[in-house]
Amino acid sequence: MSVNTSLIATERDEVPKHVREIVTPEGIPLRFQLARASDRVGAFTLDLLIQFFVLFLIGLGLNLAAGGQSSSWLTAVMTVLSFLLVNFYFSFFEIRWQGKTPGKRKTGIRVIDARGGQLEASAVLARNLVRELEFWTPARLLLAGSVVWPSAPVWAVTVAGLWAFVFLLFPLFNKDRLRVGDLIAGTRVVMQPKTELAPDLVAETAANIMGPKGRATYAFTDAQLGVYGIFELQVLENVLRQDPSKVGYSDALRTVVEKIQAKIRYERKITHDELFLRDFYAALRGHLEQKMLFGERKEDKYSAKKQQG
Amino acid sequence: MRQVRSMRSVEFRHEREATWAELETIIGKADKDGLRSLSAEQLARLPHLYRATLSSLSVARSISLDRALTEYLENLAARAYFVVYGARQVLRKQMAEFFLTRLPSAIREAKWHILVAFMVMLAGAIAAYQLTLTDMDYYYTFVGDMAQGRTPASSTAELRAGLYGGDSVNSTLATFAASLFSHNARIGIMAFALGFVAGLPTLLLLFYNGLVLGAFSALYHSRGLSVDLWGWLLPHGITELLAVILCGAGGFLLAHGLVFPGAKTRMDSLRERGRLAAVVVLGAVLMLFIAGIIEGVFRQRVTSVPVRYTVAAVTAAWWIFYFGFVGRRTVKRAAQVRAEDAHDAEMTGAWLASSSMSEGRR
């Protein structure tokens, strides 16, 4: 949650920028975050390295098996194996592991069907067979241009390679970060969801830091609670969930306390910053949730109360 | 305390936390060791817990402002969704289904594109053939690097020897066949992928293939070696040429989806045709592999012309049978079942509508 942007929207019904929704067969929309370009590049590089490494091992093994002499059978097997490995590595893993390859597993991303539903084998094939066009051709043109196109001058090869790079850079030109393969197959690459449950702030406050009389130390009137909206509540939640041992924690708390105190015009004296914020959080959350049950949702301190339809 | 306890979101979480924890353990195990590592009771609990979590997510979205909780439930539901809907069939069944149904029916679905690809290649072949017959110099233009020593400058005896080559070429044959396979397969896949740029490169590739073929056959025909040439070419050539045509058809499918989406959006149309094309191309790659084996193992060993033609005829008959007839019944049955289901759903809907109308009247 610290690195990823949240899946939760600030405005109701609006999905955050890099989040995509699919509807499960049960009818519930589930949200996924699109994989970042850096993750995808990292996963691809890792997969390439694995492929080269395996090819190297196979070559070595076959060489040893042939006793060091070159044999045409060896070359033949090597050619076929390298072709199969390079062209079907991704398809094999993405079908087998339902959208993951070793590289993708390491960077924490996976392939899903854009419409929700099981990732079909034909979709995986479609998205991976196009890699020949997207990556290998530009790579070959740039690295071994003289072999592919013997009679061409250097500048022509470079231009051709750069043009071919348009396909490679395709994900940067569309908002869903689709590769050409993703476009053809109707798939998306998203971050693998990670689950960590932080304790409930309200329950925690009640359990740990209770005032001597067993109730909240700081009390607020309805008017004071009506100042802020959901956005501010969630900002406050983020502040309270920070690591207390970090430098500047108490300073941050103090700043927030002073701001709130000024805004809601809290007259009484505040001795314990954290306790004040926790009590305020609990009270504000209770207040806003109660309002939500009646269909009133106050998004932030600037919005007038909206009636839900 | 009173204020805290009465908060619905806190109570809701308190009640359901155990369910979520249980689901997390189960999907954690499934993610690490696969679905098969789950016990029978865990497998039985999984759908129930998954649905319960989905309902928790709905509830949390509407009543809770605890952002961490809603985020957690989103992620938990997503992880569970992958586990529940990620199960595949046993590999053997998948492969059987692919070869017995999916591939042949895909070829049948793509028949018009295959026809177009075939016509393009034929056009190239005929054009080159006619041109080369009139002027042998065209041979060099069309065949270029692929001649491998077989040119109009070679004597007829040399050409004939090339068709029935002796054992001296045996050791390099395997390499030759293997590199030919990967070369052809790579070109085939490129022809498919290039369909994405509106199919024009695919068209050119197919036409060029036809040109080479046409020029070749013109050369051999002019020396009276036609029968020998086709005896040499056809045993593996039928499979190989068919595969190249299939790759071209795959490219055309992509181009069709992109340029003429019809009533669908471009994305939807590409998606459907892309998947169909991928199956076709996979079939083509397999065919190229088979052609490579026939070429490498068979061709230089068997030099009797009748045998070569028989093998060619057998491969032709086999592919006609496989692509024309295999899997028809399964596909028809599946379509029938779907139609029956749709019919049932319609009838039920109509019955419900009529009964609720009569309710209203009462």
Side-chain angles (χ1 to χ4, degrees):
Chain A
M1 212 172 90
S2 50
V3 181
N4 301 350
T5 52
S6 172
L7 292 170
I8 317 294
T10 44
E11 287 290 322
R12 175 146 264 240
D13 292 342
E14 186 198 87
V15 177
K17 223 171 37 137
H18 292 302
V19 170
R20 293 291 175 271
E21 254 184 16
I22 64 171
V23 180
T24 68
E26 291 79 22
I28 312 276
L30 277 187
R31 296 204 178 128
F32 294 96
Q33 198 183 353
L34 286 177
R36 294 169 299 184
S38 53
D39 289 330
R40 294 190 69 168
V41 170
F44 182 65
T45 317
L46 210 57
D47 284 320
L48 269 188
L49 288 175
I50 294 177
Q51 284 174 45
F52 286 143
F53 185 62
V54 172
L55 278 178
F56 175 70
L57 283 181
I58 293 178
L60 206 63
L62 287 177
N63 224 353
L64 290 175
Q69 6 158 259
S70 73
S71 146
S72 73
W73 277 111
L74 220 63
T75 332
V77 172
M78 194 61 200
T79 317
V80 174
L81 276 183
S82 59
F83 170 79
L84 288 178
L85 184 65
V86 167
N87 280 291
F88 290 101
Y89 170 90
F90 288 97
S91 302
F92 173 73
F93 279 113
E94 283 176 11
I95 294 180
R96 209 158 172 164
W97 289 352
Q98 279 290 303
K100 293 201 251 199
T101 65
K104 289 193 168 72
R105 230 179 179 171
K106 194 83 180 91
T107 43
I109 61 180
R110 76 187 289 162
V111 183
I112 63 170
D113 192 309
R115 292 229 195 104
Q118 201 175 25
L119 187 61
E120 285 175 24
S122 56
V124 171
L125 278 172
R127 77 187 295 272
N128 288 311
L129 285 176
V130 203
R131 282 188 201 271
E132 185 64 40
L133 173 69
E134 285 176 40
F135 176 74
W136 291 111
T137 309
R140 250 182 257 133
L141 272 175
L142 277 188
L143 297 176
S146 54
V147 175
V148 173
W149 196 1
S151 51
V154 176
W155 64 264
V157 176
T158 321
V159 167
L162 287 175
W163 175 81
F165 264 119
V166 168
F167 288 120
L168 196 64
L169 298 179
F170 199 77
L172 298 178
F173 300 141
N174 66 83
K175 66 171 166 52
D176 284 334
R177 298 200 191 136
L178 301 173
R179 259 182 49 227
V180 173
D182 289 320
L183 190 63
I184 290 177
T187 56
R188 301 271 184 279
V189 181
V190 298
M191 315 239 27
Q192 168 75 5
K194 286 207 208 27
T195 46
E196 295 161 32
L197 186 52
D200 191 323
L201 283 177
V202 176
E204 211 180 36
T205 314
N208 301 337
I209 323 173
M210 276 317 238
K213 295 195 186 126
R215 54 178 165 81
T217 312
Y218 298 94
F220 306 90
T221 66
D222 270 352
Q224 286 172 327
L225 292 176
V227 174
Y228 287 123
I230 295 176
F231 178 71
E232 285 82 27
L233 177 75
Q234 291 180 338
V235 171
L236 183 55
E237 179 185 338
N238 281 344
V239 170
L240 285 172
R241 286 200 193 280
Q242 278 177 1
D243 186 2
S245 56
K246 254 175 54 174
V247 175
Y249 178 68
S250 39
D251 293 329
L253 287 190
R254 184 95 279 267
T255 326
V256 177
V257 167
E258 282 168 4
K259 261 204 164 131
I260 295 180
Q261 195 176 17
K263 186 85 183 181
I264 67 175
R265 293 193 218 148
Y266 190 77
E267 306 296 328
R268 314 259 284 281
K269 189 160 175 295
I270 300 172
T271 45
H272 194 292
D273 283 348
E274 193 183 335
L275 194 53
F276 172 78
L277 285 179
R278 280 177 179 267
D279 282 340
F280 182 65
Y281 173 80
L284 182 60
R285 193 170 122 191
H287 174 88
L288 287 174
E289 283 181 1
Q290 191 73 11
K291 290 276 178 200
M292 246 171 48
L293 287 179
F294 287 101
E296 292 165 17
R297 228 184 120 94
K298 190 173 158 72
E299 296 296 345
D300 56 33
K301 61 187 180 232
Y302 302 114
S303 58
K305 273 184 272 209
K306 289 191 216 142
Q307 271 299 85
Q308 226 181 323
Chain B
M1 274 307 253
R2 187 185 41 162
Q3 185 195 1
V4 168
R5 255 290 173 252
S6 66
M7 232 196 270
R8 278 187 149 199
S9 53
V10 177
E11 251 188 70
F12 152 75
R13 172 170 168 159
H14 186 73
E15 278 170 21
R16 308 221 189 171
E17 223 162 343
T19 321
W20 308 333
E22 195 187 339
L23 181 63
E24 235 193 307
T25 2
I26 293 184
I27 62 181
K29 192 141 181 271
D31 274 342
K32 217 160 55 102
D33 303 323
L35 263 182
R36 270 177 246 283
S37 65
L38 294 178
S39 72
E41 311 111 71
Q42 282 175 322
L43 268 180
R45 283 290 281 164
L46 184 58
H48 169 83
L49 293 171
Y50 167 65
R51 278 195 289 272
T53 306
L54 280 183
S55 95
S56 299
L57 177 59
S58 288
V59 172
R61 277 176 179 160
S62 39
I63 72 162
S64 171
L65 290 173
D66 185 347
R67 191 194 227 189
L69 175 68
T70 321
E71 190 109 359
Y72 168 75
L73 284 175
E74 297 262 8
N75 288 325
L76 183 62
R79 281 182 68 197
Y81 167 77
F82 283 133
V83 172
V84 170
Y85 287 102
R88 299 171 301 117
Q89 277 178 321
V90 176
L91 187 66
R92 239 172 318 147
K93 257 184 114 186
Q94 257 192 326
M95 297 201 68
E97 201 235 337
F98 179 78
F99 285 114
L100 293 178
T101 314
R102 192 89 173 86
L103 181 55
S105 57
I107 306 280
R108 286 192 284 273
E109 250 187 275
K111 55 179 179 284
W112 295 117
H113 302 83
I114 294 176
L115 188 65
V116 170
F118 172 67
M119 310 251 42
V120 171
M121 192 180 248
L122 192 66
I126 293 178
Y129 183 78
Q130 299 292 7
L131 280 173
T132 317
L133 270 187
T134 55
D135 182 356
M136 206 36 79
D137 279 332
Y138 273 118
Y139 182 90
Y140 297 101
T141 327
F142 291 143
V143 176
D145 301 324
M146 306 215 342
Q148 287 171 337
R150 297 162 288 190
T151 66
S154 333
S155 69
T156 311
E158 281 174 346
L159 290 179
R160 186 195 298 276
L163 298 180
Y164 298 103
D167 256 359
S168 57
V169 291
N170 228 357
S171 54
T172 53
L173 216 52
T175 324
F176 181 65
S179 59
L180 212 64
F181 160 64
S182 37
H183 171 83
N184 288 340
R186 200 173 294 134
I187 302 245
I189 293 178
M190 271 298 280
F192 157 70
L194 284 172
F196 185 67
V197 276
L200 290 170
T202 312
L203 210 117
L204 291 173
L205 264 172
L206 280 171
F207 192 71
Y208 176 67
N209 245 298
L211 289 177
V212 173
L213 210 60
F216 228 69
S217 51
L219 171 65
Y220 280 78
H221 182 78
S222 69
R223 308 296 181 88
L225 290 171
S226 268
V227 172
D228 306 277
L229 173 69
W230 292 110
W232 177 81
L233 202 56
L234 283 181
H236 74 279
I238 288 190
T239 313
E240 192 173 307
L241 289 173
L242 197 53
V244 171
I245 290 174
L246 285 183
C247 287
F252 287 150
L253 274 170
L254 275 190
H256 190 175
L258 187 67
V259 178
F260 301 116
K264 305 197 184 82
T265 66
R266 234 170 269 274
M267 301 260 309
D268 285 344
S269 148
L270 249 188
R271 178 196 162 99
E272 259 187 52
R273 291 192 192 270
R275 295 187 185 196
L276 182 64
V279 174
V280 169
V281 170
L282 183 62
V285 171
L286 292 169
M287 285 173 73
L288 282 172
F289 187 69
I290 294 174
I293 292 181
I294 297 178
E295 184 169 3
V297 170
F298 168 81
R299 192 171 64 189
Q300 305 296 101
R301 297 236 173 107
V302 176
T303 52
S304 141
V305 172
V307 174
R308 285 182 169 187
Y309 272 97
T310 316
V311 172
V314 166
T315 58
W318 160 251
W319 290 123
I320 292 178
F321 166 69
Y322 182 65
F323 291 134
F325 298 104
V326 171
R328 260 189 205 272
R329 242 182 324 157
T330 322
V331 172
K332 211 173 9 155
R333 229 182 298 141
Q336 238 173 15
V337 169
R338 266 199 305 269
E340 280 171 21
D341 281 346
H343 181 77
D344 286 343
E346 222 182 292
M347 298 294 285
T348 315
W351 178 82
L352 280 175
S354 66
S355 64
S356 66
M357 280 202 308
S358 54
E359 284 284 328
R361 251 182 258 125
R362 248 188 269 145

